[in-house]
Amino acid sequence: MKRTLRSNSSNNNVNENNLNKEQKQQFDKLKGMAKQYEGKSDAEILKDLSKAVEKGKKDGSLTNEKIDNIASTIAPMLNNEQKAKLQKLMGVIKK
């Protein structure tokens, strides 16, 4: 089976008991977002992401600095293949 961001179970090792209240809220929000995209193709996910990025850039809530911060937060949880995809994606959405 090809490993993807969604199917890489070896990265699902967050111990929720070690999270503070704010981290727990963020973690719960991320879990909800991940569940929303279960079963969707990469193309569908990228389409939704593109819309969100465009909206964020228009309303000023998303900057290239924030994009870099998101990538640096996510990167440690990814394998090398996923990191390469993330870097490619970051280059596309920062344009």
Side-chain angles (χ1 to χ4, degrees):
M1 179 172 93
K2 182 177 178 182
R3 288 170 53 162
T4 66
L5 183 59
R6 294 182 302 269
S7 67
N8 189 3
S9 62
S10 65
N11 289 329
N12 297 330
N13 58 1
V14 174
N15 184 344
E16 294 182 54
N17 296 325
N18 294 335
L19 302 177
N20 66 35
K21 183 178 179 180
E22 183 179 338
Q23 290 170 326
K24 174 86 167 93
Q25 288 173 338
Q26 290 175 342
F27 185 71
D28 289 342
K29 184 178 178 180
L30 286 172
K31 284 193 315 186
M33 290 171 66
K35 187 171 182 75
Q36 174 185 349
Y37 289 102
E38 282 181 5
K40 288 194 174 187
S41 70
D42 288 350
E44 291 172 306
I45 293 169
L46 288 175
K47 182 179 177 184
D48 287 353
L49 178 61
S50 295
K51 287 180 186 177
V53 168
E54 183 178 335
K55 180 179 181 271
K57 285 186 173 185
K58 280 184 181 178
D59 68 20
S61 64
L62 185 63
T63 63
N64 284 347
E65 183 180 349
K66 287 183 180 181
I67 292 169
D68 289 336
N69 288 338
I70 293 166
S72 65
T73 301
I74 294 170
M77 297 180 272
L78 306 177
N79 64 34
N80 289 335
E81 180 183 342
Q82 292 167 330
K83 286 178 185 177
K85 286 181 181 181
L86 176 64
Q87 287 303 320
K88 184 177 178 182
L89 177 63
M90 292 300 110
V92 170
I93 65 175
K94 286 171 60 174
K95 290 183 180 179

